[in-house]
Amino acid sequence: MYDIKGYYDAETVSEATALLAENPNLKIIAGGTDVLIKMHGGQLEDAELLSLRKIKSLEKIDLADDGTIVIGAMATFSMVFHNTILKDLIPILTEAAISMGGPQIRNIATIGGNVCNGATSADSASSLFALNAQLKLESKNGERVVPIREFYLGPGKVAINPGEILTEVRIAPEDYKGFAGHYIKFAMREAMDIATLGVAVVCKVQGGSFEEVRIGLGVAGPTPLRCLEAEEYAKGKKISSDTLAEIGKLAVKSTKARTSWRASKEYREHLVEELTQRALKTAVVSAGGAEVV
Amino acid sequence: MAYTVVGKSVRRVDAVAKVTGKAKYTDDFSERNMLVGKILHSPYAHALVKSIDVSKAKALPGVEAVLTYKDLPDIRYATAIPGIIEAIATDDVTVAELKYGTAGHPYSLEENHRDKEDRNILTRKARFVGDNIAAVVAVDDLTASKALKLIEVEYEELEVLTSTDAALKEGAPLIHDDCEGNILSSHGYEIGNLEEALQESDHVIEGEYETSIVQHCHLENQVSHAYVDSDRRIVIMTSTQIPHIVRRIVAQSLGISWGRVRVIKPYIGGGFGNKQDVCIEPLNAAMSLAVGGRPVRLELSREEAMIDTRTRHAFKFKIRTGINNDGKINGIHISAVSNTGAYASHGHSIASSGGGKFRYLYPTKALKYDPITVYTNLPVAGAMRGYGTPQIFFAFESHIEDIAKKLNLDPIEIRKKNVVKEGHVDPLSKNTIRSCSIRECIDKGRELIKWDAKKALYKNQTGDIRRGLGMACFSYASGTYPVALELAGARIVMNQDGSVQLQLGATEIGQGSDTVFAQMVSEVLGIPMYMVHVISTQDTDITPFDTGSYASRQTYVSGMAVEKAALEVKKKVLAFASSMTDIPAHLLDLKEQSVVFKDSGEKVLGLEVVAMQSYYDRVNAEPITSDVSNNARINAIPFGVTFTEVEVDMKTGKIKILEIYNVHDSGKIVNPLLAEGQVHGGVSMAIGYALSEQLLFDEKTGKPLNNNLLDYKLPTIMDTPDIGAAFVEKEDPTGPFGVKSLGEPPIVSPAPAIRNAVLDATEVAFNRIPMNPQRVFEKFKEKGLI
Ligand SMILES: Cc1cc2nc3c(=O)[nH]c(=O)nc-3n(C[C@H](O)[C@H](O)[C@H](O)COP(=O)(O)OP(=O)(O)OC[C@H]3O[C@@H](n4cnc5c(N)ncnc54)[C@H](O)[C@@H]3O)c2cc1C
């Protein structure tokens, strides 16, 4: 039995933002797969919930005329996985989507909830970091767009102001066109597990060299993060096992792994080094480069 | 023997009920105005309750009762509900002080054979994080949860002992005042002269092995409800493997006579030994008594069930083995330390039973077993599928592999050289090995996995991904004879149309016992399966006496009772038919719903004709029934082997099982499909045991770290490879229809087989499970492989 004091649902974004403006205590619930777990664990009591489930406009996944990919916040992981636009243009997101939870969870959990929950282990996050995703937030007073790298403030903390709703996740054409990528979810189980490490890489390959590399990591620090030093190093480098090895080493420098009973810092860092290279090896081939042996 | 129904993969008798949702489980039943009970668990692993203030909780609207050790309802003096139960207490011990044991063993008339009685319904001394300090009864879940938070408890913290080493240290505080040194028992055995045997050996090889605490994770958490009925008896419906034992223990815990308790067991959602124990029923009964006998439901959450029911004992082993150059083992010395947690539950029986079942596999001139079972401030360990054998076989089957490697002997040949032969009589239990196909099982497994070809292929690997093969053997038992009573009961009533009801004391807990029993009855009476109606619910008021489902005893021990009951019905039918036809009964048989001539098969009478006559004949009417009990003073020893192939990622430490086969010698297989299901379930549990599962605790505080299914790495179906099950069927002369046990055996040998395969692939010996990636990484690092 859940401790629910009140429940509201909105059918449009403006209805939702109006309700939020009226009652700042409202807790947004999308798929509820994080919210209900928190209630079960007693971290959220006397909840007053605002459900976005009836706002069908937020489930849309679209390609805008300018080539921007627009994913509605209420798109579920199943929708993300099965969407042909995403599969064609940014498969690292659909790979991330299918690695998430199990079929029942994917059918109800939303990408917006995944991002707003603020977990470093969010399976969509490393891919969205690598893709330079932009988040559109709407409130009664207007809207703003925040780059995902500025959105994560700390464990479970995101840059969302009272009264705001995440409505869209956007990826600009310059951030995905010409790139190929790969996502590795390293977890203790093949399903129903949180990542020990999530590695998302995208790269652009030109004549045997890296034109650009972006590396997003989950669970390598308190928030998802990018490996800027490694990315900088990779620029223009000839693709070889030595280059990859160096990228792996540099990637570790951007991480803030810690030891917990789940895994040691040493092991996590070792995984960052190893899996960044493995992900890049696959991505290079997808991007038209030669296989690195 | 040629059978008609036995040996066939007939459909489970409860398949349709379960698939359509018609099968009712404890939580599907409700009483009018049922209240909800909840437990206040101790946040400290070792602490004394200095004071409890329940006034705020009691004042919360909707709260009906708050219970603490100080005010448990005491009905022995007929005070709580006037006239309800006669006083049987002869001393002035209060209910709060009454101690009882919880293990699901048959009662013993010999006092020294009983389980340790060390538990109170609610305690004033917390012995693990999760111990039961107080409880509330309220109108609904939420109110009960809120009331728990309003109970104010002041604790005096004591030194926390989370490891057996700490608990055994000189001067360590006592977890139970009457248990010196925190040692529950250290009873072992010795056969032959060990030192002599070791001295005679060409080599004496030593090894140390360790297993971890794991949990059953049955789908349905512990759940029950209790009320006082119009006959003023306590009725408890509960998800249990052992209804008759629950009845006894609830009565003992309340200090009342046993007949005053009635226990009903509907369908249950798994137990794996965790429901061969009495965890919540005494408190549930007390909750109902505290509210004047009104119905109260008590259901544990997953988080509660994972720490406040039972776990599997973690063991540490030291082994010394004396062996000759040719691979013949002369003597074995096994020392074991078993961590039983805060209360005894099955306690030392686990260590004893593991050591007992191990004895059958490799008889040697000398064998010494020194187990010690130690109390610690961790959750209570109890019965779990395999009952001590997964631990000891992990240790020994790893050890024998290490020996083979050291002496450059073939791992299969060394085992074949030492395994038992038919006719062997165990020197301690006096059980005789009357059937043994372990060698055939080994040959079959070797072939299934293509051992020889792959072994050659995987020589001298160097890459990041390496493969290896491993195997391990086991022996088990069918029930507990001669350690405990093996009594089983069955009752058959024949209807007017010749169909029958079969009532059993043995409980269906998902393993399929109802189906195999129905097959046995169908076989003996010559009627189709649909004419055998198994009464699946056990009700201690009605059900024949049987101590329940555990020890892999059902098909073997309870099967004997079923066969006996069916044979008695058959005898009565034939006698009745004889009286109707004047054909001597010994010339008759039952086949295809008819009485037939034994020799020719020619039909004499339809079964329904005899049945009708038995009900309505004006002179001779006497409906045909049987009601039998069987005391199985015998045992049959099953054997088996696991063969597996693994792939190890040398960089990430991940181990993947590519193939795994379990080959079993369980005598005659009554239902191959169900048997395969048992093997699939057991092997998948063992895979978790080997690779990922482990309950973790903060070393200092004893707080659980991962008592939920996200952080406790129970494998999902995606982590489970296709599991091969095979059987070498040789009928055992003692079992009904030649059966031997199969319920627990599949879990025993996979973990060491996987470990041995990893050794084969990597040259690294893991002597501790689980072999999870973090551990593998550390070990590879230590060995300079990373
Ligand atoms: C069994 C199980 C398995 C799981 N496995 C995984 C996994 O493998 N990988 C993984 O990453 N996660 C996993 N999760 C976590 C969870 O499913 C995901 O984080 C999911 O994406 C959350 O989405 P939701 O729609 O359910 O969010 P909700 O629970 O409804 O909300 C999550 C948070 O976001 C806020 N929120 C939601 N939508 C919006 C919005 N549009 N605007 C503003 N705030 C919003 C809510 O207020 C809340 O704080 C699992 C959960 C469960 C129960």
Side-chain angles (χ1 to χ4, degrees):
Chain A
M1 214 184 260
Y2 293 101
D3 193 1
I4 299 170
K5 214 168 91 185
Y7 183 84
Y8 306 83
D9 46 20
E11 289 185 17
T12 62
V13 172
S14 55
E15 230 178 276
T17 51
L19 279 166
L20 267 183
E22 247 169 59
N23 182 355
N25 286 333
L26 285 184
K27 174 74 182 165
I28 292 176
I29 181 164
T33 58
D34 282 317
V35 170
L36 292 176
I37 298 289
K38 287 208 172 104
M39 294 176 79
H40 173 77
Q43 293 133 277
L44 183 61
E45 294 178 324
D46 289 330
E48 286 184 84
L49 300 175
L50 170 62
S51 170
L52 309 182
R53 297 257 293 161
K54 289 192 178 159
I55 311 180
K56 293 294 158 197
S57 64
L58 289 184
E59 289 178 5
K60 254 208 219 121
I61 300 173
D62 251 338
L63 188 61
D65 292 342
D66 68 350
T68 302
I69 298 168
V70 183
I71 306 167
M74 289 298 290
T76 65
F77 278 80
S78 294
M79 293 175 191
V80 169
F81 174 67
H82 290 293
N83 186 275
T84 49
I85 300 171
L86 302 182
K87 225 169 229 171
D88 286 351
L89 302 179
I90 46 169
I92 55 164
L93 187 62
T94 57
E95 284 165 21
I98 193 66
S99 77
M100 190 265 187
Q104 295 92 334
I105 291 292
R106 290 194 292 271
N107 281 342
I108 191 147
T110 65
I111 190 164
N114 202 226
V115 171
C116 291
N117 193 51
T120 182
S121 57
D123 268 312
S124 67
S126 1
S127 294
L128 294 177
F129 266 65
L131 290 165
N132 275 333
Q134 311 270 326
L135 306 176
K136 184 166 146 193
L137 301 162
E138 291 186 49
S139 69
K140 201 180 165 207
N141 305 322
E143 58 176 69
R144 61 186 179 116
V145 173
V146 185
I148 194 160
R149 275 166 57 199
E150 289 165 25
F151 191 66
Y152 278 83
L153 304 176
K157 262 172 84 181
V158 291
I160 196 160
N161 296 324
E164 280 184 332
I165 292 175
L166 170 69
T167 53
E168 286 173 8
V169 177
R170 306 169 66 94
I171 292 141
E174 61 272 19
D175 286 320
Y176 71 85
K177 280 201 168 148
F179 285 89
H182 188 58
Y183 178 68
I184 296 176
K185 174 176 181 170
F186 189 84
M188 297 298 109
R189 286 189 289 229
E190 295 299 311
M192 302 298 281
D193 210 352
I194 55 166
T196 308
L197 181 71
V199 181
V201 302
V202 294
C203 66
K204 226 181 217 179
V205 171
Q206 182 74 59
S209 296
F210 283 123
E211 192 180 320
E212 195 179 341
V213 169
R214 293 199 300 264
I215 303 166
L217 299 180
V219 209
T223 63
L225 51 87
R226 282 273 295 277
C227 303
L228 299 180
E229 202 177 333
E231 293 176 15
E232 199 50 48
Y233 166 83
K235 236 175 225 164
K237 288 277 175 332
K238 203 170 147 354
I239 300 169
S240 69
S241 57
D242 287 346
T243 304
L244 292 187
E246 189 59 23
I247 293 175
K249 281 207 176 67
L250 291 172
V252 176
K253 285 192 165 181
S254 303
T255 63
K256 286 198 196 76
R258 58 178 193 100
T259 293
S260 75
W261 56 265
R262 291 194 170 90
S264 67
K265 177 175 155 72
E266 197 188 10
Y267 181 46
R268 288 183 203 274
E269 290 182 343
H270 168 77
L271 286 175
V272 169
E273 188 177 338
E274 175 66 23
L275 297 181
T276 305
Q277 296 181 62
R278 285 193 189 178
L280 272 171
K281 276 185 190 166
T282 309
V284 162
V285 174
S286 305
E291 197 176 329
V292 185
V293 277
Chain B
M1 270 255 284
Y3 299 116
T4 315
V5 188
V6 164
K8 300 263 158 45
S9 292
V10 301
R11 191 171 70 197
R12 287 182 71 102
V13 294
D14 52 10
V16 171
K18 285 185 170 169
V19 170
T20 55
K22 281 204 169 126
K24 282 191 170 183
Y25 297 76
T26 299
D27 197 42
D28 294 323
F29 292 85
S30 76
E31 296 290 324
R32 191 145 37 111
N33 299 330
M34 185 118 81
L35 299 166
V36 174
K38 278 200 191 291
I39 304 168
L40 182 74
H41 299 282
S42 168
Y44 300 109
H46 205 186
L48 285 172
V49 174
K50 300 283 285 179
S51 67
I52 304 186
D53 184 349
V54 300
S55 53
K56 284 185 191 145
K58 268 196 171 142
L60 186 73
V63 172
E64 301 284 325
V66 182
L67 297 84
T68 70
Y69 74 90
K70 276 189 288 197
D71 52 13
L72 280 166
D74 202 334
I75 54 172
R76 294 170 306 155
Y77 305 101
T79 51
I81 306 171
I84 179 171
I85 283 157
E86 72 277 20
I88 62 155
T90 52
D91 48 35
D92 53 4
V93 181
T94 65
V95 164
E97 289 164 315
L98 258 190
K99 291 203 167 167
Y100 58 97
T102 64
H105 291 142
Y107 186 70
S108 178
L109 295 174
E110 301 122 64
E111 200 165 337
N112 64 2
H113 199 67
R114 286 180 208 152
D115 291 301
K116 170 95 176 164
E117 294 176 338
D118 63 359
R119 191 122 200 188
N120 300 118
I121 294 180
L122 293 170
T123 183
R124 63 184 304 185
K125 183 187 185 195
R127 294 182 172 89
F128 68 101
V129 172
D131 210 345
N132 295 188
I133 305 297
V136 299
V137 179
V139 291
D140 58 37
D141 272 288
L142 256 165
T143 310
S145 299
K146 288 189 172 162
L148 287 182
K149 288 187 197 141
L150 296 174
I151 300 176
E152 291 165 0
V153 188
E154 199 192 327
Y155 294 93
E156 179 190 327
E157 289 184 60
L158 303 170
E159 189 190 332
V160 175
L161 309 168
T162 55
S163 68
T164 50
D165 286 344
L168 290 172
K169 233 203 223 119
E170 201 148 331
L174 296 187
I175 293 173
H176 294 271
D177 290 341
D178 62 350
C179 190
E180 268 317 305
N182 294 316
I183 297 174
L184 180 58
S185 174
S186 56
H187 189 73
Y189 59 75
E190 181 167 7
I191 301 166
N193 186 330
L194 179 75
E195 290 314 317
E196 220 175 83
L198 295 185
Q199 252 157 36
E200 276 170 17
S201 306
D202 297 330
H203 312 270
V204 175
I205 295 174
E206 303 186 7
E208 294 189 16
Y209 307 88
E210 201 177 327
T211 67
S212 60
I213 301 176
V214 294
Q215 222 265 338
H216 317 65
C217 298
H218 34 77
L219 203 54
E220 180 198 36
N221 290 323
Q222 271 74 3
V223 55
S224 61
H225 66 252
Y227 57 92
V228 177
D229 71 4
S230 57
D231 194 23
R232 299 183 305 187
R233 295 199 303 163
I234 298 169
V235 181
I236 304 175
M237 179 177 283
T238 182
S239 173
T240 183
Q241 300 173 214
I242 47 165
H244 281 283
I245 294 177
V246 172
R247 163 191 244 186
R248 173 200 20 117
I249 292 176
V250 168
Q252 288 175 322
S253 74
L254 295 169
I256 58 176
S257 59
W258 302 359
R260 284 296 177 182
V261 179
R262 175 179 169 202
V263 174
I264 302 166
K265 175 250 161 214
Y267 281 109
I268 100 170
F272 306 118
N274 204 12
K275 294 172 186 171
Q276 188 206 343
D277 211 312
V278 180
C279 296
I280 60 171
E281 295 88 349
L283 178 57
N284 196 177
M287 285 171 163
S288 173
L289 292 170
V291 292
R294 288 157 72 192
V296 180
R297 176 166 55 85
L298 177 58
E299 179 176 17
L300 299 188
S301 67
R302 178 65 63 186
E303 290 81 357
E304 286 177 297
M306 286 185 80
I307 56 163
D308 187 21
T309 58
R310 303 293 176 259
T311 62
R312 189 191 288 291
H313 291 74
F315 272 70
K316 284 183 189 164
F317 294 94
K318 282 194 180 136
I319 309 181
R320 281 192 304 156
T321 297
I323 186 165
N324 289 347
N325 286 324
D326 64 356
K328 182 74 197 156
I329 298 173
N330 290 321
I332 305 169
H333 183 199
I334 302 179
S335 311
V337 182
S338 163
N339 185 343
T340 203
Y343 294 96
S345 172
H346 288 252
H348 197 60
S349 302
I350 303 291
S352 296
S353 175
K357 287 161 184 157
F358 168 74
R359 249 185 357 247
Y360 298 116
L361 187 60
Y362 303 119
T364 50
K365 262 193 250 166
L367 173 61
K368 187 160 188 264
Y369 182 48
D370 288 321
I372 107 170
T373 298
V374 183
Y375 280 123
T376 61
N377 294 123
L378 291 182
V380 185
M384 182 171 172
R385 193 179 201 168
Y387 209 83
T389 57
Q391 293 95 322
I392 197 167
F393 279 103
F394 171 73
F396 197 81
E397 285 298 287
S398 297
H399 180 60
I400 196 171
E401 192 78 16
D402 294 345
I403 293 175
K405 216 167 160 59
K406 205 163 194 168
L407 302 185
N408 213 4
L409 295 168
D410 183 90
I412 293 182
E413 291 315 314
I414 192 176
R415 287 177 171 89
K416 276 193 164 174
K417 190 159 197 100
N418 290 288
V419 287
V420 70
K421 292 194 180 100
E422 268 173 26
H424 172 73
V425 180
D426 181 74
L428 296 181
S429 70
K430 307 293 179 211
N431 285 333
T432 304
I433 312 291
R434 293 188 176 81
S435 63
C436 172
S437 308
I438 180 66
R439 287 172 185 77
E440 293 83 345
C441 289
I442 293 174
D443 292 342
K444 196 163 190 168
R446 178 183 200 144
E447 215 177 282
L448 282 168
I449 204 147
K450 304 191 178 68
W451 178 274
D452 299 274
K454 284 181 184 166
K455 269 278 188 190
L457 202 64
Y458 300 155
K459 259 191 188 144
N460 310 321
Q461 298 171 84
T462 52
D464 280 355
I465 305 286
R466 295 183 202 168
R467 291 181 173 188
L469 295 169
M471 55 90 70
C473 303
F474 75 88
S475 51
Y476 208 72
S478 305
T480 60
Y481 182 82
V483 177
L485 177 70
E486 280 300 353
L487 200 66
R491 188 182 296 141
I492 295 176
V493 173
M494 183 168 277
N495 301 319
Q496 288 88 337
D497 58 0
S499 65
V500 296
Q501 277 78 253
L502 171 63
Q503 267 183 301
L504 295 148
T507 51
E508 168 67 68
I509 58 168
Q511 82 280 44
S513 58
D514 279 355
T515 305
V516 299
F517 294 145
Q519 284 179 264
M520 291 176 179
V521 171
S522 162
E523 187 71 49
V524 173
L525 298 183
I527 54 177
M529 282 290 286
Y530 67 82
M531 288 179 72
V532 184
H533 308 294
V534 184
I535 311 299
S536 192
T537 296
Q538 275 72 32
D539 177 337
T540 52
D541 269 11
I542 301 163
T543 304
F545 185 78
D546 184 311
T547 43
S549 280
Y550 54 84
S552 303
R553 64 191 287 277
Q554 287 61 237
T555 309
Y556 184 76
V557 171
S558 303
M560 290 180 192
V562 169
E563 190 186 25
K564 191 167 164 184
L567 285 172
E568 188 178 318
V569 164
K570 177 174 179 178
K571 198 169 157 203
K572 287 182 179 173
V573 170
L574 296 185
F576 213 100
S578 171
S579 75
M580 290 166 69
T581 57
D582 278 344
I583 302 168
H586 72 266
L587 297 181
L588 298 174
D589 201 357
L590 291 178
K591 226 178 225 162
E592 295 174 3
Q593 284 171 254
S594 302
V595 178
V596 299
F597 279 106
K598 206 183 251 168
D599 53 358
S600 66
E602 186 194 334
K603 180 168 169 172
V604 177
L605 280 171
L607 183 60
E608 72 288 354
V609 177
V610 183
M612 281 298 273
Q613 204 79 9
S614 78
Y615 272 86
Y616 303 113
D617 184 286
R618 295 243 175 189
V619 181
N620 298 315
E622 185 181 357
I624 293 167
T625 63
S626 66
D627 189 352
V628 310
S629 193
N630 190 75
N631 188 359
R633 297 184 56 77
I634 200 152
N635 211 318
I637 310 304
F639 300 92
V641 59
T642 303
F643 276 84
T644 186
E645 178 185 3
V646 302
E647 186 174 274
V648 185
D649 187 326
M650 301 300 290
K651 285 284 169 58
T652 64
K654 259 208 183 169
I655 297 166
K656 193 171 151 189
I657 295 169
L658 300 178
E659 285 185 40
I660 189 158
Y661 297 92
N662 256 34
V663 188
H664 290 266
D665 163 15
S666 284
K668 174 78 185 167
I669 300 299
V670 180
N671 187 319
L673 194 61
L674 284 179
E676 222 177 287
Q678 285 299 296
V679 176
H680 290 171
V683 171
S684 72
M685 281 182 106
I687 289 173
Y689 192 49
L691 297 180
S692 60
E693 289 179 46
Q694 179 176 26
L695 266 180
L696 294 163
F697 301 90
D698 184 286
E699 230 169 90
K700 288 207 184 74
T701 63
K703 288 209 160 84
L705 299 173
N706 62 342
N707 56 324
N708 63 70
L709 292 180
L710 171 60
D711 296 317
Y712 179 84
K713 303 301 181 185
L714 191 73
T716 69
I717 194 67
M718 301 288 283
D719 303 290
T720 312
D722 287 344
I723 294 165
F727 304 93
V728 174
E729 289 190 60
K730 180 169 184 195
E731 292 180 19
D732 188 274
T734 67
F737 304 92
V739 307
K740 297 197 277 189
S741 72
L742 182 66
E744 293 164 279
I747 202 179
V748 184
S749 52
I754 294 166
R755 178 266 187 198
N756 293 339
V758 173
L759 172 64
D760 186 45
T762 65
E763 300 280 316
V764 180
F766 287 86
N767 292 353
R768 191 171 149 211
I769 43 174
M771 298 175 279
N772 60 27
Q774 171 78 39
R775 287 240 182 98
V776 174
F777 165 75
E778 284 167 13
K779 193 98 188 183
F780 282 179
K781 187 110 191 163
E782 185 192 308
K783 299 268 169 199
L785 291 165
I786 286 182

